[in-house]
Amino acid sequence: AIYVPRIFCLGLSSSDREEQREELACQLLLLAPLEWLLLGEEPAAGLALLQENNQPSALCGHVFKVGEPTYSCRECAADPTCVLCMKCFLGSVHKEHRYRVSARQSFCNCGPQTVELSPFQPEICGLTQLPTDMVGRAFSVFFIILKYAVDLLTWEHEDLLPTGLQPPEREDTYYCMLFNDEVHTYEQVIYTLQKAVSCSQKEAVSFATTVDRDGRKSVRYGDFQFCEQAKSVIVRNTSRQSKPLRVQVMHSSVVAHQCFALKALSWLGQIIQYSDGLRRILCQVGLQKGPEGENSSLVDRLMLNDSKMWKGARNIYHQLLMNSLLMDLKYKKIFAIQFAKNYERLQNDYVKDDHGREFSITDLSVQMFTVPSLARMLMVEENLMTTIIRTFVDHLRHRDPQGRFQFDRYTAQQAFKFGRVQSLIGDLKYVLISPPSKWSDQLRLKFLEGFYAFLELLKCMQGMDPVVRQVGQHIEMEPEWEAAFTLQMKLTNIITMIQEWCSTDERVLIEAYKKCLSALSHCHNSLPDGEQPISLSLAGHSVETFRYQVSQEKVSIHLPVCRLLAGLHILLSRTEVASHFPEQLPLGELSPPLLIELPLRCLVLCAQVHAGMWRRNGFSLINQIYYYHNVKCRVEMFDKDIIMLQAGASMMDPNHFLMIVLSRFEVFHVFSTADIRKRYREANKDLVQQNTLIEEMLHLIIMVVGERYVAGVGQVEPYDEVRREIIHLLSIRPMAHSELAKALPENGNKETGLERVIDSVASFKKPGVTGRGLYELRPEWNRYFNLYFHHYSRADQSKAEEAQRKLRRQSGEDTALPPPPPPPLCPLFGSLVNLLQCDALLAIEGAVLQWAVEPSGGGWTESMLQRVLHLVGMALLEEQQQLESSSGDEDVTFNYTCKITRPGEAPSTSGSVLALLESLQNTPHLEVHKDMITWILKMVSNIKMMRERTSSASSFTVSLERGSEETMRDKDKAERKRKAEMARLRREKIMAQMSEMQKHFINENKELFQQSMEELEASTSAADHNPPSAELTCVSQVAVGPRRVGGTERRQLVTCILCQEEQEVRGHSRAMVLAAFVQRSTVLSKNRHCNLPNPEHRDPLFMHPDLCLGIHTASCGHIMHATCWQRYFEAVQLKEQRRQQRLRGHTSYDVENGEFLCPLCECLSNTVIPMLPHAASPDHRYAHLTAVRHSHNKHTSEEAEPVVPQGFRVDFTPQNPFSSSISEMITTFSLSTYKVGLKVNPNEQDPRVPVLSWSSCAYTIQSIGIHTRDRCTHNHPREDDCLSSLTRFSSACWTAAPLKTVHTHFIRLLSALVPDTQVENTPSILEIDMFHLLVYSVLAYSSVHCLDQSGCGVVDSSHLHLLHLVTVAHLVQILLTSTTEEVCMDQDNSGSEEEELTCQLYSTLRKHLGSVLPEVSSGWQLYRCLKAGVLPFLRAAALFFHYLNSTAPPAELMSKTNTEQSSLPGKALPDTPVCVFSWCCHPGVRQTLQGGGAIIRFPRESNRLIELPEDYSVLINQASSFTCPRSGGDKSRAPTLCLVCGCMLCSQSYCCQTEVDGEDVGACTAHTFTCGAGLGLFLRVRESQVLFVAGKTKGCFYPPPYLDDYGETDQGLKRGNPLHLCAERYRKIERLWRQHGIAEVIGHAQEANQALVAIDWQHL
């Protein structure tokens, strides 16, 4: 009582040091004495001893962290809640089975840890290992501490303490304690706190995060008045929309004791880990009954006060219960009984509470109810099933006068409550998930009691949400329909499970059936069936029924009692109870017309909605019909209605059944009147609607007779049912595994039975780098295709029909789609087949065929005819099957063929059905159905022959039958061939006519054609950037130096994509530009985290070899006139300004930053590159001096200069070689690279402008060099265009800058190579990237060279000198940084000339640098090192000169660089000792080599994305152990992995937001600025999706490189199939990154999907 308030009472200073001090004091002063007391010795030693003697429980007991991977075996687990942790799973047999992985976001679910998978362990008495005195001490210590903790956590007073804990002197110190609720948002809480306790935004965010995590946080510390004031502000601010935030002012000592109580509970949890005996003691202490009797044990008190506690306290004591009671089967059972006793009260508390289920004690139900033995014990002893159902019904109190649920006009509060009540259905599912194998009388009794309660629930649903057809005007308010369907979906699995339980015991089934029947008749009695009875007669039969019209009365889609009865009726048939105990079943009491009435109304409603008769009832009805057929609901809705109709039809006269159906479909009068014209007059309905109703009615008859793939209706297994579903799904098109799984109904275990069947009917096609794996139907299953499959939607049916006909045409068969052979029916449903041959149906068929023969004015449709033909086909197949299966003597009752040959009866005096069919066979308007009619007639003749044949001549007739079939087929084939031949001849004739006309036209307009042909030739040669240069052999392809070969003289003709005008690229014509995108890049960076100096003072002239930040330019290669582009861009800007006034929708490009989409391909661009003419060939400049040419090459340009001294005048400015429009574009692009590269505002005067353009040129060539090197392929044409324009632009960009600036740059660059005392602070040779230096100096030299007006100086030789000089510098650089490791390989030759020269150079370097360089003995190694290091540089240099001088492209780039390299060191060595000496003397070199900075080795390794593990669950595991770096060890909610550097970040959360450029951004966005220059690639581990981010406003999701075994990604980890890395897809992402294509992908994605634009990417 004295220490606790002192330790835990420190005001608000929650710094880390304070927290550590608090921890330490608590451990030393409070917990350590307890440990001494308990163990009676030094705690460390005592605990170690306990652990040694411990016999651990057989359960693993691992409690899952947030987001940790859990595994459930799909073959062995009793239910989906049976999960294993990673360690147990990897050590089990299940990893060979099919399993599911999921990252649980919830509380531990390792409940029945393999309880059902491994046999129960015998009880080991754990108390024997503990010394007796310790047992006594443990009892008392545990009791005192647990009681103390329970008292304080359930304590109601805010400023008093329980007696005995009052502190000696009472101070006036209070906390204002804010509690968590699930109603208010983060933003509301943060805003309120800022006002109430005047804290900063940062502090408010931290408060809100803690409140959300721990459930409460003190927001103010001080005297009572001070805290009360804060409380009133908070309550006032948050009570406007909803109930206010919960705030309490609590005395500091109360808070302190509560904190210690939590610490004490955690301590108990740790102590019992050491010994099983101690765990048992704690369980006993917790469950011991107190003096008050019922519900008085400590655990009961905690449980019943659960909803009053805050989140942190709940979590800690739930954790303790998991670690103690639930780890021990004996105590788990006692706890489960207590839990079941208090079930109703706990659930009521939960429904009133607003915390998520994972923070409620009710969530522990999964730990107990999923153990079947426990669940059944609770069902028998505590009547659990009935309790759950009654509690559920009690919560849904809104009823209509008939006692049905009424969900309309729910308030938000009620809707929230309804959402929470649904968790009860989950508990019921756990209890019923595995049906019992042995029944006891007690279990039967209690189950039936639960079943009756469930029937009461269904009775409240029967007929809810009834609808009436709107006539006249549209419905005003859409009625509420979702709640009823939500309930239906939740109950679907329960209804199925209850039927499964019934099917395992005959007595239970019979009782349930009787009860359900009486419930149904009770429902019928309450129907207002006072309609007047009427009598219908058709085809010589008549039936009594009553008048009811769906289109005028109330009708409801919800009929769960009927449907449950239908389910039980099938079970009677499937388990053969009906045939074993007919006397016990009330089958005589069944009134078939009553059974079929309600389901029939429901199906008629669907038909009328399809026919468009209910349009004025709005969308709610359309949605209800959609869900009625949807895979989630159809098993217990649509399917059961069809079964109910089948049951009714099998028990009544088929003619009566059909007449009732006709009457309910409101089309009876159509078939009962003889005269066709009269039938229009009578119909008050729209004709189209009536035709649709007739089609739907025929479809219904097809389904009632033909749908036999339900075990119990037809003689099939569940396996066949799934197989048939799959065949029909794959008949539409090949599908992926996930599509198939989605389209099949799941059972309670989330299984569809797909995997057992799929391989037998389909073959799997693996995916490529995009797309997904698909299943294709094997051809031998096509004959099982049924066009009128009952689960097809309209759209599916037409797609499937199209696909099947196409297949048949391809394989050269006829296009008939006959019905597939049906499986035989079960005895209980056997009489269904008589529907097919009853008089009423024949009359209907005859009528439709008659209308088709004399088509008058749209009274019939082709699909009507198609359905009739299908019905005829089904009847014939049925007859054929009966004939085949009957032995010769018994008479076959089914004689359809005889009936269809009789002419029609009285009303319609038409011919027989058969005669009508024959007359239809050749009518021209029914070409489509001809094959089907032929098939039917063939079947009829076959059946006749079968009936006529005697058993002796059987073999003979069969062969005859075959023969007749074949002759018919041959006729057909000949006919088809003749038609095809005629079509071919017709086509040829037309083609001949056309070519004749063409020739005629060309002759008339000869000169026009002449002209255009010439132009064509010219433009093709211009467009051909690489003309075939066979005569240029490898040697003569020199791109630099006096001997270089010029590009073929070419005019470059290009077309503007905006105005379609052609123009040649010339220096003085209108400017043409390429759309381009400039971005900062770190793709080649070897030092990601270097801090760049302030952009204002950064000097970009020397690029460090770590290439830490470059500027990359890419282009889509589309060309425009500069003026056209400017007009286009201005239009885009205007549009954007107008958009801002209307609404601030983002676009995928940012106009303020100069971004736009290329007008042709919509590629993201932010600038344009001007197109400049190709460099002149070296010889055409002085063609008249051919004789003097050789002598010139011997001189260098310096010697030639004095001849014409004009360039030496101070005021000399060379003329600009470009027109003003081109110069303007040169400036535009220079400023773009400057602005992007330095992130500063454009400033034309800045001397750094040309440098950044050169830098972009060098960096782009380097990055392209790297990925072509890795791919070993040639550049893409658009890369080619971009690079050649970029290089030519760079060589001209000095014209836009003051000459003096460029000269200064050149002098500084040169002094880095040729040391000059006058130039200050030049970097050392190790701090310069040589390729950048080469590009800069070559490009800057142009400005020096322009001073030479003599026309004799040749720029090429200086380029060659610069190349030599830089190359030598690079060689030195390589040797200085080389690390040669000894390689033991025998060299064949004892050192070539190159090796000796290399050694020579190296020894020179050692001479200058002394001991800094190690001694290397082997010249071969040095040479190898040198060769590897210099190759990338030479390759890049070759590319650069190729683009600069427009040489024919270096096709043999590899061989060229090799030959060049072998000779280079030799040439360069003798001339450069001076430079080498001065390079080595630079102080920076020695300093770097001695460890004063990172040394970059050559060749630089090209960067790759990080290595990812092959198995995705390794990543999930890694992420689950990742804690948020800012909120003290809290688990991160959205761990995200950077694919570039491998850093794990805590994304999408307030805790990790940081400020970048004055804006709050999330961890990922902030990371992109340090790691990828604003561009990032991340893998969101829990969602399994790749995230691309560019800047703060752009981003998109990209398919991850992880696929399951079916070749599909699983974004969101919803399916849970094991995922594995697909290397090709990962390489594709890497290629995108290395080619700088990420920004473009984001642009395209955002254009294609506007939803992406609205996401706040900067908060991720």
Side-chain angles (χ1 to χ4, degrees), residues 611 613 665-671 676 679-697 851 858-859 861 864:
M613 290 168 58
F665 268 93
E666 301 172 31
V667 292
F668 187 76
H669 60 278
V670 179
F671 293 99
I676 291 191
R679 105 172 211 259
Y680 295 134
R681 273 206 306 281
E682 281 191 21
N684 52 0
K685 287 195 190 63
D686 177 353
L687 194 63
V688 180
Q689 291 182 352
Q690 186 169 298
N691 285 341
T692 311
L693 286 178
I694 296 175
E695 288 167 23
E696 291 286 328
M697 188 234 12
W851 303 336
T861 60
M864 228 184 263

Side-chain angles (χ1 to χ4, degrees), residues 735-737 763-776 1599-1609 1615 1620-1625 1628:
M735 288 190 179
H737 183 272
S763 47
F764 182 62
K765 261 176 51 190
K766 281 208 160 77
V769 181
T770 54
R772 45 196 190 162
L774 294 175
Y775 280 105
E776 282 181 350
Y1602 281 94
L1603 302 180
D1604 60 16
D1605 299 342
Y1606 309 107
E1608 292 182 83
T1609 61
R1615 292 194 298 279
H1620 301 286
L1621 182 68
C1622 165
E1624 287 85 39
R1625 295 196 182 205
K1628 183 184 172 194

Side-chain angles (χ1 to χ4, degrees), residues 8 48 84 98 139 176 284 304 394 405 455 841 1013 1179 1316 1332 1382 1427 1465 1473 1507 1545 1573 1620:
F8 290 104
L84 299 162
R98 287 187 309 114
F139 265 113
C176 176
Q284 279 178 4
L304 295 175
D394 283 349
F405 291 139
L455 267 179
L841 188 64
M1013 289 308 287
D1179 29 8
D1316 183 344
H1332 276 70
E1382 289 300 324
K1427 188 168 169 181
E1507 293 279 318
L1545 305 164
H1620 301 286

Side-chain angles (χ1 to χ4, degrees), residues 16 270 293 679 855 875 915 1005 1310 1445 1474 1649:
D16 289 350
Q270 287 160 9
R679 105 172 211 259
N1005 307 313
L1310 199 60
N1445 297 330
V1474 185
N1649 180 358

Side-chain angles (χ1 to χ4, degrees), residues 987-1185:
R987 270 202 307 274
E988 279 175 5
K989 190 174 162 191
I990 292 172
M991 290 303 289
Q993 281 174 346
M994 277 174 68
S995 85
E996 189 55 44
M997 284 160 71
Q998 221 170 355
K999 276 180 192 154
H1000 182 66
F1001 180 76
I1002 289 181
N1003 285 337
E1004 276 182 15
N1005 307 313
K1006 226 174 194 156
E1007 53 287 340
L1008 231 172
F1009 268 85
Q1010 215 51 49
Q1011 217 174 322
S1012 60
M1013 289 308 287
E1014 283 168 13
E1015 277 178 22
L1016 251 170
E1017 279 163 18
S1019 66
T1020 47
S1021 65
D1024 204 3
H1025 272 235
N1026 14 3
S1029 46
E1031 72 281 356
L1032 295 177
T1033 53
C1034 175
V1035 184
S1036 65
Q1037 275 193 14
V1038 180
V1040 58
R1043 290 208 307 272
R1044 82 179 165 90
V1045 178
T1048 43
E1049 287 308 311
R1050 49 192 163 168
R1051 294 156 55 217
Q1052 200 185 0
L1053 271 181
V1054 290
T1055 310
C1056 164
I1057 58 170
L1058 290 169
C1059 68
Q1060 301 301 319
E1061 207 177 292
E1062 270 201 352
Q1063 186 187 323
E1064 187 184 337
V1065 179
R1066 286 210 302 273
H1068 285 287
S1069 57
R1070 285 169 67 195
M1072 299 291 279
V1073 292
L1074 273 172
F1077 185 67
V1078 179
Q1079 56 183 334
R1080 304 174 73 162
S1081 155
T1082 57
V1083 171
L1084 304 179
S1085 169
K1086 288 287 160 221
N1087 174 10
R1088 290 204 171 280
H1089 301 294
C1090 63
N1091 290 327
L1092 293 173
N1094 180 347
E1096 297 298 333
H1097 310 306
R1098 189 173 139 222
D1099 173 20
L1101 191 60
F1102 293 106
M1103 173 65 100
H1104 194 279
D1106 65 13
L1107 302 179
C1108 71
L1109 182 68
I1111 306 166
H1112 182 273
T1113 304
S1115 164
C1116 60
H1118 291 131
I1119 300 169
M1120 302 167 271
H1121 283 112
T1123 45
C1124 293
W1125 169 71
Q1126 278 162 329
R1127 275 202 302 274
Y1128 167 74
F1129 186 59
E1130 278 157 21
V1132 170
Q1133 277 177 313
L1134 259 174
K1135 183 173 138 197
E1136 191 57 25
Q1137 281 161 9
R1138 284 202 301 274
R1139 176 205 294 279
Q1140 282 177 345
Q1141 287 149 16
R1142 284 205 314 277
L1143 74 163
R1144 186 72 204 107
H1146 290 290
T1147 43
S1148 61
Y1149 52 93
D1150 177 5
V1151 176
E1152 289 167 9
N1153 276 338
E1155 292 182 350
F1156 60 94
L1157 299 182
C1158 162
L1160 191 64
C1161 63
E1162 296 209 322
C1163 249
L1164 186 64
S1165 315
N1166 58 8
T1167 181
V1168 286
I1169 310 179
M1171 294 199 65
L1172 303 179
H1174 288 286
S1177 286
D1179 29 8
H1180 100 147
R1181 190 184 310 149
Y1182 36 83
H1184 58 286
L1185 294 177

Side-chain angles (χ1 to χ4, degrees), residues 313-340:
R314 295 186 198 193
N315 279 346
I316 284 179
Y317 96 82
H318 292 175
Q319 199 78 21
L320 183 64
L321 291 183
M322 309 279 294
N323 287 341
S324 53
L325 298 177
L326 298 180
M327 289 283 288
D328 197 302
L329 293 166
K330 176 176 146 194
Y331 294 108
K332 187 173 186 171
K333 190 170 152 185
I334 303 171
F335 177 58
I337 292 172
Q338 284 303 103
F339 186 83

